[in-house]
Amino acid sequence: AEDEYFADGISDEIRSRLAAVRKLGVISRSSAFQYKDTDKTNRQIGAELGVDYLIDGTIRWDKRGGGAGRVRITPELIRISDDMSLWSQPYNRVLEDIFEVQSDIAGQVIKQLKITLLEPERQAIDVKPTENSDAYHAYLRGLDYAGRPDSSKEDLSFAVQMFKRAVSIDPDFAIAYAELSMVQSLIHHLGYDRTEVRAAKAKSAVERALELQPDLPETHLSLGYYHYYCYREYGRALEALAIAEKGLPNDARILLGVGAIRRRQGRLAEALDNMKRASVLSPIDANLAHNIAQNYSMLRRYPDAERWCDRSISMAPNQVVAYERKALIHWLWHGNVEKGRIVLEEKPRINTPRSIFYWFQQELFERNYQAALDRLASTPGESLEYQFWFIPKSQLAGLVYRLMGESERSREAYETARILLEEEIEKRAEDHRVRSSLGIVYAGLGRKEDAIREGKRGVELFPVSRDALIGPYRVEDLAFIYTLVGDYDAALDRLEYLLSIPSETMSVPMLRLDPRWDPLRDHPRYKELLRRHGFDPDSKPQATELLRAKPPDEPTDSGG
C-alpha cells in the first residue's frame, strides 16, 4: 500500500504519453483508475468507458540490492470486441530506465494500432522529464496527493512539499514546477491561503517551468489555471488553455477549466457543454460529476443536480463534497431538512471547515440552536474558511444567540468576531469574504453605517459580473446586513435580485427555511414575493412538502 503511488504514477505516465496522440481518444486518469481492483470483465469496462482497447498489466518493484532497485512491468494491449490480446511484453529494468520503458510501451501500442505519429507527438511519447529517480519519486508522490478528490488543505500542502522536493533535487524538472504551480494556485483558489504571497509562489513556479520548457503543454495548462484561480483573468486563462489543448488533446482538465471559467462568467449553457464533453474523456470522474451538479444547481434544475450528485457519490463514496451539495439541493429544492440530515449523516465523518459549516446550517434550519453551538464548539480553530466564505466561529455564535433571544451573549460573540476580522482586514484588505463578514458583525453590533459600507465593499470586490458563482453569496450577505439593521426594503431588493439570476445560494424554499429572514416574514413585499412564486405566505414550510423544482418551460436533462 505504501508504494501504490508509484504504480499509479507509472500507469499514468504511460497513459499521458498515449493521450498526446490526437488520433487516439484516451480516458482520463481519474476514470481509468476506478478499475484498478475491479472484478469486471474487459467487455464490461469497455462498454462503461466507451473504448475499443484496454491496456492492462502489472508493476513489480524489487527494492533489494541497494539503490532504487529493479522494476518489472508486464503490459498487455487487449481488443474489446473479441477480448483478444494484441500485444504483451515483459520489461525487467533498473529503475533509472523507467522512462525508456514507458516510451517503448506507448510506442508499441501506437504500432499495434497502426497510427502514424506527427513529430510533436513522437517527442511527447519519448519525453524524459528528469534524470534523477529521487526527484521522480517525489513528483509521483506529489501527483498522488494533488489528485485526491476532496482537495483538503492537508493533502494539498503535502503535495506542495513533494513537488518542492522534486525541483530541489532536480532544478531543471519543468513539469514538476508546472504541477507545483497548479497546486499553489488551487490553495489560493479554495481559500486556504488567499494571500498575494501564495499567488506569487504559483507565478514563480509556472514562470520557471516556462523558462525551462516553453513548449511543454502542461506548463500552459498550469498557466491557465494560475490566471483563473489567482486573479480571475478569464481571457488570459482561456488563451493559455487553448495552447495547452494542442499538446494535450485528451486532457479533461482543459475542458473542465474552460467550463468552470464559463460558469464564473455566467455562461452556464457553455459551461455545461464543456463539462459534458470532458465527461466523455473522464466518464467516471467524481469531481467532474460534482461540477456538473453544481451547474444544474445554479440553474435551479434540482432533479438533474441531484442525479449528478448521486453519480459523483457512486464514483467516490469516501468524498464529502457531493454529499454536502446534495444536502444543499434538498434545502434549495424542497426546503427539506429531513432529507438534508439523512444525506449529511451518510457522508464520511471528516471534520473540515466546510463540513462543519454544512452541519451548522442543518442545525440552524431545524432551529436546533444549542446543537448548532455544539457543532461550533467541536471545531478546532477560530474561523471557518473556504473559497466562498471566511467566517469566525464567534460570528456564527453571535447569530445563534440572537435567534435565541440572548442579546448580551450575542453582542459578546459579535465583539469577539469584530476583533478577529479587523485584524484580518489589516492583512488582506481586498478579501471580499472578510469584508462581508465584517459587515455582518458590525450589523450585529448595531453599527449600521459601518455594516452597510463593508457589505457593499464585499459586493464591489466580487460582483456577480465578475463571478456568477461566488458573487451571489456577497449579495446575500448584504441582504442579511440590511435585515439585521432593519432596512427591510433594501434587503428584499437584493433577495428579489438573487431569485432572478442563476444562483446556488437562494431559492424561495430556502428563503422560507432560513431563520435569518424571520424579520421579513410580515413585510408586504415578502408576502407578495412568495405569492408570485406560488407559495402561501401565511403557511410555514414543511420538511416533507414537495415544491416546484424548476420553471415549467425548462427541459429536464435526461442524458445523465
Side-chain angles (χ1 to χ4, degrees):
E2 67 274 11
D3 294 329
E4 188 171 5
Y5 79 93
F6 177 74
D8 288 352
I10 299 300
S11 301
D12 194 45
E13 286 289 316
I14 297 168
R15 189 204 64 82
S16 296
R17 282 165 164 76
L18 292 168
V21 180
R22 191 167 290 274
K23 290 182 179 178
L24 285 177
V26 182
I27 296 298
S28 73
R29 167 194 173 108
S30 54
S31 289
F33 280 22
Q34 298 291 324
Y35 295 96
K36 282 195 299 183
D37 301 312
T38 188
D39 56 3
K40 293 181 178 179
T41 67
N42 292 332
R43 288 188 177 181
Q44 286 175 313
I45 297 171
E48 290 179 9
L49 294 178
V51 296
D52 301 310
Y53 302 89
L54 298 177
I55 302 176
D56 196 3
T58 61
I59 299 176
R60 302 175 188 273
W61 185 10
D62 185 354
K63 301 179 184 179
R64 294 174 296 180
R70 299 185 67 84
V71 178
R72 181 179 176 85
I73 303 178
T74 308
E76 182 179 18
L77 176 65
I78 301 166
R79 185 168 57 205
I80 296 295
S81 60
D82 53 7
D83 209 22
M84 177 178 285
S85 175
L86 301 180
W87 168 81
S88 181
Q89 177 181 329
Y91 293 82
N92 195 338
R93 306 285 181 84
V94 295
L95 187 62
E96 285 75 10
D97 293 338
I98 192 65
F99 299 119
E100 286 84 353
V101 173
Q102 293 166 0
S103 297
D104 191 64
I105 292 172
Q108 289 293 337
V109 171
I110 296 297
K111 180 180 177 181
Q112 295 297 322
L113 298 180
K114 297 179 173 57
I115 293 174
T116 301
L117 295 178
L118 300 174
E119 185 55 33
E121 295 171 333
R122 189 177 304 282
Q123 292 174 5
I125 285 177
D126 293 336
V127 68
K128 188 173 185 180
T130 179
E131 299 287 344
N132 190 293
S133 61
D134 289 337
Y136 187 59
H137 276 284
Y139 168 74
L140 293 182
R141 282 192 179 276
L143 289 179
D144 178 34
Y145 278 84
R148 296 189 177 186
D150 286 319
S151 297
S152 71
K153 184 177 182 180
E154 295 72 22
D155 285 345
L156 295 180
S157 296
F158 188 75
V160 166
Q161 292 179 37
M162 290 297 99
F163 290 134
K164 282 185 173 180
R165 174 171 169 75
V167 298
S168 69
I169 296 172
D170 180 1
D172 296 330
F173 198 166
I175 195 170
Y177 279 108
E179 295 292 347
L180 173 60
S181 175
M182 181 78 86
V183 178
Q184 300 281 31
S185 295
L186 184 57
I187 290 172
H188 188 282
H189 174 68
L190 294 179
Y192 298 141
D193 181 1
R194 192 61 68 76
T195 63
E196 282 297 316
V197 173
R198 180 67 64 175
K201 290 177 178 178
K203 182 181 181 183
S204 175
V206 76
E207 285 181 341
R208 176 60 177 157
L210 283 167
E211 179 185 332
L212 289 167
Q213 285 185 251
D215 296 329
L216 185 69
E218 287 84 358
T219 297
H220 293 278
L221 177 66
S222 293
L223 181 63
Y225 273 95
Y226 161 72
H227 287 305
Y228 164 36
Y229 279 168
C230 293
Y231 294 107
R232 298 296 189 270
E233 296 173 338
Y234 301 135
R236 298 179 73 179
L238 291 170
E239 288 176 5
L241 292 175
I243 295 171
E245 195 274 336
K246 294 177 182 177
L248 298 170
N250 287 285
D251 200 314
R253 293 177 297 175
I254 295 172
L255 287 168
L256 175 58
V258 173
I261 289 170
R262 294 308 188 201
R263 176 169 60 201
R264 302 277 176 164
Q265 293 176 316
R267 297 161 64 170
L268 293 176
E270 291 179 53
L272 268 172
D273 178 64
N274 276 278
M275 290 183 185
K276 287 188 173 182
R277 286 166 56 204
S279 72
V280 175
L281 294 172
S282 192
I284 308 180
D285 186 328
N287 177 58
L288 182 52
H290 171 258
N291 268 276
I292 293 173
Q294 188 170 35
N295 283 354
Y296 281 125
S297 181
M298 289 180 68
L299 290 166
R300 299 187 176 91
R301 292 173 59 175
Y302 300 124
D304 296 322
E306 182 182 28
R307 183 167 63 256
W308 280 91
C309 276
D310 287 338
R311 285 186 60 169
S312 180
I313 291 168
S314 70
M315 295 169 189
N318 293 327
Q319 64 169 310
V320 296
V321 291
Y323 291 95
E324 292 160 358
R325 178 154 309 283
K326 188 175 178 180
L328 174 62
I329 288 166
H330 286 306
W331 300 334
L332 290 164
W333 182 7
H334 303 311
N336 193 322
V337 292
E338 292 176 354
K339 286 188 175 181
R341 178 171 289 275
I342 290 170
V343 172
L344 292 178
E345 287 177 344
E346 289 174 347
K347 77 181 180 69
R349 299 187 180 279
I350 299 176
N351 202 28
T352 64
R354 178 184 168 121
S355 291
I356 291 299
F357 187 56
Y358 272 87
W359 267 117
F360 173 83
Q361 290 183 99
Q362 176 69 34
E363 306 292 4
L364 192 73
F365 296 158
E366 292 186 42
R367 301 177 186 252
N368 298 329
Y369 296 139
Q370 186 56 52
L373 292 171
D374 292 343
R375 294 281 182 187
L376 295 177
S378 68
T379 310
E382 294 183 298
S383 301
L384 304 179
E385 183 172 10
Y386 195 63
Q387 64 167 311
F388 298 92
W389 28 256
F390 179 95
I391 311 176
K393 293 192 299 181
S394 50
Q395 174 184 330
L396 296 175
L399 166 63
V400 175
Y401 286 129
R402 183 186 183 97
L403 294 170
M404 294 171 71
E406 299 188 28
S407 57
E408 187 57 37
R409 296 184 75 178
S410 175
R411 184 172 186 84
E412 290 174 359
Y414 277 134
E415 183 64 24
T416 300
R418 178 193 66 78
I419 294 170
L420 188 154
L421 287 167
E422 288 181 346
E423 290 176 352
E424 287 295 326
I425 286 293
E426 291 297 317
K427 294 182 284 186
R428 37 179 163 173
E430 301 301 298
D431 192 321
H432 57 96
R433 304 168 304 161
V434 180
R435 289 289 182 185
S436 287
S437 287
L438 184 58
I440 291 169
V441 166
Y442 282 154
L445 292 170
R447 295 171 54 174
K448 180 175 180 177
E449 291 184 3
D450 293 335
I452 294 171
R453 182 193 68 241
E454 294 299 325
K456 285 184 174 179
R457 183 60 180 150
V459 172
E460 290 168 359
L461 287 168
F462 228 71
V464 173
S465 60
R466 182 183 180 194
D467 192 316
L469 176 62
I470 296 181
Y473 284 85
R474 302 290 78 85
V475 177
E476 182 183 4
D477 287 341
L478 182 56
F480 182 43
I481 289 168
Y482 280 123
T483 302
L484 286 172
V485 301
D487 194 341
Y488 299 153
D489 280 308
L492 286 161
D493 286 343
R494 273 70 186 179
L495 293 173
E496 288 180 347
Y497 169 68
L498 288 173
L499 290 170
S500 74
I501 63 172
S503 168
E504 66 166 1
T505 184
M506 182 55 61
S507 68
V508 175
M510 178 71 92
L511 183 62
R512 300 176 75 223
L513 179 65
D514 192 335
R516 292 182 303 161
W517 312 116
D518 283 355
L520 305 176
R521 311 237 185 253
D522 292 328
H523 196 287
R525 282 184 61 190
Y526 174 85
K527 292 185 176 183
E528 177 57 28
L529 186 154
L530 262 61
R531 289 192 190 98
R532 287 203 311 269
H533 288 270
F535 295 90
D536 180 358
D538 297 317
S539 68
K540 293 183 179 180
Q542 300 296 317
T544 55
E545 69 180 348
L546 298 181
L547 306 172
R548 191 176 68 187
K550 53 183 171 51
D553 59 344
E554 189 165 30
T556 297
D557 169 57
S558 59

